[in-house]
Amino acid sequence: MALDRPTSPRDAYARSSVLEYLLIGDLRDLLEETPDNETRRWLLAVLEELLNLLPNEFEYEDQGGYLAEVCEQNPNLSNAVERLHHEHEGLYFSLLELRNRIADEQSFEFIADEVKPKLSRWIEAAQRHRESEQQLVVASFDTAFGGEG
């Protein structure tokens, strides 16, 4: 029997990042499926998991996570960190709106042509957001260690 050890915030964040990656892959796959009630059911399940996951991940990044470290080490990057924080909110609420649209409509076939492109754009925005976070961390690291950022 394995003993449960407390999970550090950094480990929890790493796990949630991997889970987010997998869920977005599932979401991408589901967008290729036939728009029927089975696809709708699975889409809603994946969207629910993402909506449960994202606030915790964003909170870690903003409150004492690596984005907070970026601000501490490089106060000149605080505007960029603030912009990412606002993107967090936008990503969450746009995904919530899409989930609600799918949940409210009984026939996914009826709204698939509307919702699928919006979900694809959300995936692209989430990937751009992640890339922006990574670029900011690299710029912070470069600046902290004498690079040109």
Side-chain angles (χ1 to χ4, degrees):
M1 179 171 119
L3 296 174
D4 288 335
R5 292 190 314 239
T7 303
S8 76
R10 194 173 296 262
D11 289 344
Y13 172 76
R15 271 194 233 126
S16 68
S17 291
V18 169
L19 183 55
E20 175 191 341
Y21 176 81
L22 294 172
L23 288 169
I24 287 176
D26 290 344
L27 182 57
R28 189 178 277 118
D29 290 345
L30 286 166
L31 293 178
E32 300 297 321
E33 295 293 325
T34 303
D36 56 20
N37 284 333
E38 184 71 9
T39 301
R40 176 184 176 268
R41 186 174 68 80
W42 282 106
L43 266 175
L44 288 171
V46 168
L47 294 174
E48 281 297 323
E49 286 302 315
L50 278 168
L51 288 166
N52 289 331
L53 181 70
L54 291 176
N56 295 329
E57 187 175 332
F58 293 162
E59 182 178 341
Y60 172 77
E61 292 170 2
D62 293 337
Q63 309 296 321
Y66 67 87
L67 291 180
E69 291 174 12
V70 166
C71 284
E72 287 173 14
Q73 292 178 3
N74 296 288
N76 59 319
L77 296 177
S78 62
N79 286 339
V81 170
E82 186 64 26
R83 180 184 53 80
L84 288 172
H85 175 71
H86 289 296
E87 284 180 14
H88 286 167
E89 293 174 1
L91 285 167
Y92 177 82
F93 286 112
S94 64
L95 190 63
L96 179 62
E97 184 178 306
L98 287 166
R99 191 279 319 260
N100 289 344
R101 177 72 174 112
I102 295 168
D104 291 345
E105 184 61 53
Q106 292 301 309
S107 172
F108 183 62
E109 296 156 296
F110 182 72
I111 61 167
D113 289 340
E114 167 199 343
V115 173
K116 282 184 169 188
K118 290 180 180 180
L119 284 168
S120 291
R121 285 191 298 273
W122 185 91
I123 291 169
E124 291 168 9
Q127 289 174 324
R128 281 191 309 272
H129 177 81
R130 180 68 68 196
E131 289 167 7
S132 294
E133 287 176 341
Q134 292 169 351
Q135 289 170 353
L136 187 63
V137 170
V138 168
S140 175
F141 183 81
D142 284 348
T143 302
F145 290 101
E148 296 182 23

